[in-house]
Amino acid sequence: MFTIRNVLILAASFALTANEIKAMPSNPEMSAELEQSARKDREISALKRTQEINEALINELRSQIQFQMSIINKLNGNSSINISCFDPTTIQMQLEESRKKFHRQSCQLKDDQLNSSLLIGCIITSEYITHYVVIRYLSEIGTIYVPCDYQLGAPGWMVIQRRIDGAQNFTENWDTYRKGFGYADNSDYFLGMERIHRLTSSRCYELHLHLEFENGSIAYAHYDDFRVSDEVSGYAITVGAFTGNTTDVLRGYDNVKFSTFDRNNENINCPRSGQSGWWFKSCSESNLNGMWNHFNWDSNVLRKSKMLIRPLEIK
Ligand SMILES: *[C@@H]1O[C@H](CO)[C@@H](O)[C@H](O)[C@H]1NC(C)=O
Ligand SMILES: *[C@@H]1O[C@H](CO)[C@@H](O)[C@H](O)[C@H]1NC(C)=O
Ligand SMILES: *[C@@H]1O[C@H](CO)[C@@H](O)[C@H](O)[C@H]1NC(C)=O
Ligand SMILES: *[C@@H]1O[C@H](CO)[C@@H](O)[C@H](O)[C@H]1NC(C)=O
Ligand SMILES: *[C@@H]1O[C@H](CO)[C@@H](O)[C@H](O)[C@H]1NC(C)=O
Ligand SMILES: *[C@@H]1O[C@H](CO)[C@@H](O)[C@H](O)[C@H]1NC(C)=O
């Protein structure tokens, strides 16, 4: 169960601002007309913005095509083409750069289609710090409380998993992993797969893994994209490009389904898969939800871990 103290409800309302109220005329006919014209203006500016982003996406695709054409030319023996185009590292870097740009631009497009009142990130303003993000309107599952993390010294991070003191047993079944469990305030905790799915499918999120090994050494893994599919498709994981100072363990995990001891979606039978809920691709890799004193990253046992997400546009 969640223990919720200190809950700060954010004003995520559709209410009119004071200025909008002042601007409202008293004549009802005038008012309807003005309202209609204001709505049209809003629609037009939203369309303009969509168009701008689409144009940027098209340009990006065009430059990718040009780049690939140059490789094709080279393969056909057209020697007028710069030889460095053929360098695998250059090709990889350019494709990766291009993929990132494309990813960010499509995320922007997705965000623009959302109501801006749906604040889905932890923020710091000069007046207050958000301890929890309260998410309403997202789904029929109701209000979602997600704790915030400021230990990284960066804004925006929401905690979806936390192992710090062993207070919570992570050997739980599918239904418990789906709903979430633990102590959201300051102890061991898991947000729940359904909420993680709803959040990461509502807009683009990045993932930060904070890892503390048994010997006290600290490492991090960052992915510029993180998504979890719906329950019917097994809460399958997708991650983007990696940065960090540990092994990129989740590379190659795209579309691996989540499994628990009572629902083995990947038909992998290893002792570890019976001990928690995780995306099991093989027996030998990492499992941040494993048993206390045994949970691990790249086969190195951890004493603490945190999984954090934040909307891509919060920096
Ligand atoms: C060789 O590449 C250049 C530059 O991309 C292009 O203008 C030219 O038509 C190509 N020649 C052949 C034979 O494909
Ligand atoms: C070839 O391409 C590389 C990398 O894009 C660039 O730095 C270099 O100036 C190019 N050389 C010529 C002769 O165009
Ligand atoms: C945005 O808010 C409006 C007004 O409350 C609502 O009618 C609309 O369905 C919302 N759109 C989305 C994508 O949630
Ligand atoms: C955790 O829960 C599992 C399943 O209920 C149980 O078998 C195991 O003994 C528990 N572990 C601890 C440390 O309590
Ligand atoms: C990884 O980076 C973090 C944050 O910059 C740092 O605290 C940690 O010591 C680094 N760990 C390794 C193994 O380099
Ligand atoms: C601690 O363990 C990690 C993981 O095994 C290893 O990468 C790191 O080098 C170790 N640090 C020290 C100081 O031994």
Side-chain angles (χ1 to χ4, degrees):
M1 287 300 103
F2 295 103
T3 57
I4 314 268
R5 272 190 267 125
N6 231 344
V7 175
L8 182 69
I9 308 267
L10 291 174
S13 77
F14 302 117
L16 295 172
T17 66
N19 279 341
E20 279 171 317
I21 292 168
K22 261 189 237 146
M24 279 183 44
S26 45
N27 180 332
E29 248 171 59
M30 273 285 284
S31 153
E33 226 168 72
L34 278 180
E35 205 177 286
Q36 201 180 9
S37 118
R39 196 172 54 235
K40 281 224 175 93
D41 284 352
R42 279 200 299 274
E43 281 168 11
I44 288 169
S45 70
L47 280 174
K48 272 193 187 140
R49 174 116 182 90
T50 305
Q51 192 186 352
E52 268 167 36
I53 295 170
N54 278 337
E55 272 164 13
L57 283 173
I58 290 167
N59 282 337
E60 189 53 40
L61 283 174
R62 201 172 272 145
S63 74
Q64 276 192 38
I65 290 169
Q66 260 167 18
F67 177 64
Q68 279 162 14
M69 280 304 292
S70 74
I71 294 174
I72 290 166
N73 268 335
K74 185 64 205 166
L75 288 171
N76 286 336
N78 184 338
S79 60
S80 79
I81 283 156
N82 190 338
I83 192 80
S84 76
C85 282
F86 222 23
D87 169 29
T89 331
T90 316
I91 293 173
Q92 209 176 2
M93 267 167 49
Q94 291 205 22
L95 286 177
E96 181 51 26
E97 205 41 53
S98 192
R99 191 200 65 77
K100 276 190 194 158
K101 258 199 220 159
F102 195 82
H103 175 54
R104 283 186 185 267
Q105 278 160 356
S106 13
C107 286
Q108 239 177 337
L109 194 59
K110 201 166 163 187
D111 284 338
D112 281 3
Q113 289 159 356
L114 287 164
N115 278 317
S116 57
S117 51
L118 283 168
L119 170 70
I120 308 189
C122 298
I123 51 161
I124 309 176
T125 70
S126 51
E127 293 124 56
Y128 63 85
I129 288 178
T130 319
H131 297 290
Y132 284 88
V133 192
V134 181
I135 297 154
R136 282 170 281 162
Y137 314 116
L138 190 62
S139 65
E140 67 276 14
I141 60 174
T143 305
I144 304 178
Y145 297 88
V146 190
C148 299
D149 184 281
Y150 295 100
Q151 283 178 9
L152 284 178
W157 293 107
M158 298 151 66
V159 184
I160 61 170
Q161 188 258 27
R162 194 200 285 127
R163 309 288 301 271
I164 51 173
D165 53 17
Q168 171 67 43
N169 190 342
F170 272 61
T171 306
E172 296 288 357
N173 63 18
W174 182 268
D175 196 47
T176 309
Y177 267 98
R178 187 169 67 77
K179 290 181 186 147
F181 53 86
Y183 311 93
D185 268 4
N186 54 12
S187 177
D188 288 8
Y189 157 81
F190 190 74
L191 177 64
M193 295 308 290
E194 187 57 25
R195 292 173 176 144
I196 295 172
H197 156 66
R198 303 266 179 162
L199 283 171
T200 60
S201 55
S202 74
R203 66 175 63 199
C204 296
Y205 278 87
E206 52 188 332
L207 173 70
H208 183 103
L209 306 177
H210 173 84
L211 310 162
E212 282 185 47
F213 295 101
E214 254 184 335
N215 63 10
S217 122
I218 291 175
Y220 77 95
H222 179 274
Y223 293 91
D224 74 353
D225 186 19
F226 172 61
R227 270 169 286 150
V228 164
S229 72
D230 62 10
E231 184 174 17
V232 174
S233 41
Y235 294 133
I237 189 172
T238 307
V239 293
F242 170 86
T243 44
N245 54 17
T246 182
T247 320
D248 177 8
V249 167
L250 296 179
R251 187 62 35 223
Y253 266 56
D254 284 1
N255 297 319
V256 170
K257 293 173 180 169
F258 196 80
S259 290
T260 52
F261 62 79
D262 59 336
R263 193 173 301 184
N264 187 345
N265 283 321
E266 292 289 342
N267 287 320
I268 286 172
N269 286 307
C270 41
R272 222 185 263 163
S273 61
Q275 291 166 5
S276 71
W278 191 252
W279 299 277
F280 293 104
K281 194 180 173 212
S282 76
C283 290
S284 60
E285 291 167 66
S286 307
N287 175 5
L288 300 186
N289 289 341
M291 279 161 68
W292 185 247
N293 289 332
H294 296 279
F295 67 115
N296 62 91
W297 184 256
D298 197 24
S299 304
N300 296 305
V301 174
L302 299 164
R303 66 177 192 198
K304 289 183 184 177
S305 78
K306 271 187 222 168
M307 295 176 72
L308 309 168
I309 62 169
R310 78 176 167 184
L312 204 56
E313 75 273 21
I314 295 186
K315 271 278 138 60

